[in-house]
Amino acid sequence: MVTAGAFEFGQTIWNRRLEIGWSRPELAEKLNTRAGLTTCDGALIYKWETGRHAPKAWLPHILHVLKIPADAAALLRPPTARTAPAHTCENPPIGLPEAVFDRPQADTLLAMLDASGPVEPDTVRQLAHAWLISEPPQILHQRAGRRVGDSLITEVRTRTNTLRRMDDYLGGLDLIAQVTGELRATVHLLREASYTEQTGRRLLELAAEQAQLVGWVAADAGLNQQAQRAYTVGVHAAEAAGHRGLGGLNLGGLGYLLASTGSPENGVVLTRSAAVGAAPYAGARERAMIWDRAAWAACVAGREREAAAALGRVEDAHDAHQPDAGEEPDWLYWVCRAESLVMQGRVWTELHRPLRAVPILQAVIGTYDHEHARETALYRSWLAAALLDAGEIEEASAETIRVIDLSAGVTSDRVAKRITMLAGRLTPHTHVPAAREVLDRVREQR
């Protein structure tokens, strides 16, 4: 099991090895030479670096060969001998799968879902680092319980795809119980059913897709801690399935959420890790989506140049997309250049660059189907904010009224917060009749 101390010491090994410029096999050769043995290999070093095994007899040789200070070994002492606070049951450690995914690992997924606390800030960088350097585990064949075959996998996937499209029309509070129930049902199959390794990987891929959907829906419902937990489950499940693209989808989703809820620097770490780690395995539209999120996290952190560079990568990814290149995963159905243009507009709005933001948002919003009320309301809220930055109070007020009209019957915490923000920004302009109309409408809704 990965422990905080073993993971931290593993990071020390990893950092020193890269500073020196050795591969894992090269380090293993150095350690074998010093110890007079032949039993160290790259796989063992990988387990040390990811915190899955703590070096014991090898410790003095590691310290000597890598020239690591002896006091770094204090990281490997039991928690009672260290000053770092122990994790509580509300905040269990967030790790990646062990070398074998089996029933106890499925229990870990359920424990992550049931935890009540948020993902602690000090685990964010650990999660990103572990994901970037880890390798997928083997999956233990489950030989007891209900037999899972292709027909059940197809049925679960169809339900998941349907729920994903329902999210286009329903707010988070309307959908959260259903999507969470689907994820729990899939994890219970992993825990209790009988399946081959291939089927197990397909179930884990489904769990990762469902976890991403739960994270998105929970965030829309204002359940941010539940969303954080769902995304970490998705990273864990995708890693177990050996699906780097799904891992990046969930890691980037977690980073996007953290950036949007007060932790922009952690958001930058996760979204950039997702973009870099998933890029070699991702198709063009996957890369576009992940870099969109990296651009958002960078702009919220105030890094304009970094945000602009990420937007450039998004454009490159869309230019590289070939619609006839082959079948793509269903969870990419909504990713298109128009969605990325909206993100461009949002980024420039967040950076208070209305001359860039307003033309982009006005052009793309006009192409949207108002049946997608929540998304259109959110996008128009960004246009209203950009118009306020430009000093166009009447136009901003008119857009805010449209947002309020679109939000009627939509149970979205995100939309509600955007309306509250816009009302707050319009409050100093009560001398403008259009602004007073907005404030009257907001008071009527409360």
Side-chain angles (χ1 to χ4, degrees):
M1 179 178 179
V2 178
T3 64
F7 187 91
E8 291 167 16
F9 189 75
Q11 284 189 298
T12 301
I13 297 174
W14 186 72
N15 288 330
R16 280 295 296 147
R17 178 174 63 80
L18 293 186
E19 286 173 10
I20 296 170
W22 290 339
S23 67
R24 288 182 184 134
E26 286 172 332
L27 175 56
E29 182 181 353
K30 301 285 185 183
L31 292 171
N32 280 328
T33 299
R34 174 172 169 78
L37 298 171
T38 59
T39 53
C40 185
D41 58 16
L44 181 58
I45 291 170
Y46 161 74
K47 292 175 182 178
W48 293 338
E49 290 183 343
T50 56
R52 298 180 183 194
H53 285 185
K56 296 177 182 176
W58 289 99
L59 181 57
H61 308 300
I62 292 170
L63 297 176
H64 178 85
V65 168
L66 291 175
K67 295 181 171 56
I68 296 172
D71 57 6
L75 294 170
L76 298 174
R77 293 173 189 162
T80 53
R82 298 173 58 205
T83 57
H87 287 278
T88 64
C89 59
E90 288 81 14
N91 294 293
I94 302 298
L96 291 178
E98 304 289 340
V100 174
F101 190 94
D102 53 13
R103 176 171 175 165
Q105 288 288 295
D107 289 338
T108 299
L109 294 185
L110 288 173
M112 288 182 186
L113 285 174
D114 290 334
S116 58
V119 176
E120 293 183 349
D122 64 354
T123 68
V124 169
R125 294 175 189 272
Q126 291 182 2
L127 180 64
H129 174 77
W131 181 74
L132 283 171
I133 68 172
S134 62
E135 299 172 2
Q138 294 180 337
I139 297 180
L140 186 67
H141 294 203
Q142 293 286 87
R143 296 185 176 86
R146 175 187 179 186
R147 182 71 177 177
V148 175
D150 289 344
S151 60
L152 182 58
I153 294 285
T154 300
E155 178 185 335
V156 174
R157 183 170 296 284
T158 299
R159 287 203 306 268
T160 301
N161 294 347
T162 299
L163 288 170
R164 191 179 289 114
R165 282 162 177 74
M166 287 173 65
D167 176 64
D168 289 340
Y169 301 94
L170 298 177
L173 287 172
D174 291 327
L175 203 55
I176 187 62
Q178 206 163 350
V179 295
T180 303
E182 283 293 320
L183 174 57
R184 285 186 177 279
T186 301
V187 176
H188 276 290
L189 281 176
L190 283 162
R191 184 175 181 271
E192 304 292 348
S194 172
Y195 48 80
T196 65
E197 179 169 348
Q198 180 181 5
T199 300
R201 291 197 185 279
R202 293 176 67 191
L203 280 172
L204 283 162
E205 288 177 13
L206 277 170
E209 289 187 40
Q210 292 167 343
Q212 185 276 329
L213 183 57
V214 171
W216 178 258
V217 170
D220 189 61
L223 304 172
N224 291 333
Q225 292 186 7
Q226 183 174 342
Q228 290 174 21
R229 290 290 167 184
Y231 282 129
T232 56
V233 166
V235 175
H236 189 110
E239 188 66 20
H243 198 305
R244 184 57 52 140
L246 281 172
L249 176 72
N250 280 277
L251 198 71
L254 178 57
Y256 178 87
L257 174 63
L258 291 175
S260 302
T261 54
S263 299
E265 291 300 327
N266 285 329
V268 168
V269 169
L270 290 184
T271 54
R272 286 194 64 84
S273 295
V276 172
Y281 310 91
R285 291 206 298 168
E286 289 176 71
R287 295 196 303 275
M289 177 187 62
I290 293 173
W291 280 111
D292 264 337
R293 291 172 172 176
W296 174 249
C299 85
V300 174
R303 303 183 183 185
E304 181 171 341
R305 184 177 297 179
E306 191 172 316
L311 291 176
R313 288 178 178 264
V314 173
E315 284 292 307
D316 291 343
H318 282 300
D319 289 343
H321 175 55
Q322 298 178 357
D324 300 325
E327 186 176 355
E328 293 183 307
D330 184 81
W331 44 267
L332 284 173
Y333 80 95
W334 60 273
V335 179
C336 60
R337 199 179 290 270
E339 286 288 335
S340 292
L341 286 173
V342 170
M343 181 60 79
Q344 274 192 42
R346 290 177 57 194
V347 166
W348 295 125
T349 300
E350 185 70 19
L351 292 169
H352 303 290
R353 303 288 295 273
L355 294 181
R356 291 190 179 189
V358 170
I360 294 171
L361 289 171
Q362 284 179 330
V364 73
I365 286 172
T367 68
Y368 269 81
D369 181 354
H370 281 208
E371 287 186 3
H372 297 146
R374 181 191 59 197
E375 302 309 314
T376 308
L378 285 168
Y379 299 162
R380 287 192 176 277
S381 77
W382 289 101
L383 176 57
L387 289 166
L388 280 169
D389 284 339
E392 300 292 344
I393 307 305
E394 289 86 356
E395 286 191 55
S397 299
E399 282 300 330
T400 304
I401 290 294
R402 294 186 183 101
V403 174
I404 292 170
D405 289 341
L406 285 164
S407 70
V410 175
T411 59
S412 170
D413 182 72
R414 288 186 297 156
V415 174
K417 286 179 177 175
R418 295 293 297 171
I419 292 172
T420 299
M421 179 275 297
L422 290 169
R425 291 191 62 183
L426 286 167
T427 298
H429 303 286
T430 52
H431 60 284
V432 179
R436 287 202 303 274
E437 181 185 356
V438 170
L439 297 175
D440 288 343
R441 289 286 300 274
V442 171
R443 280 192 290 269
E444 288 171 8
Q445 287 189 342
R446 288 176 178 170

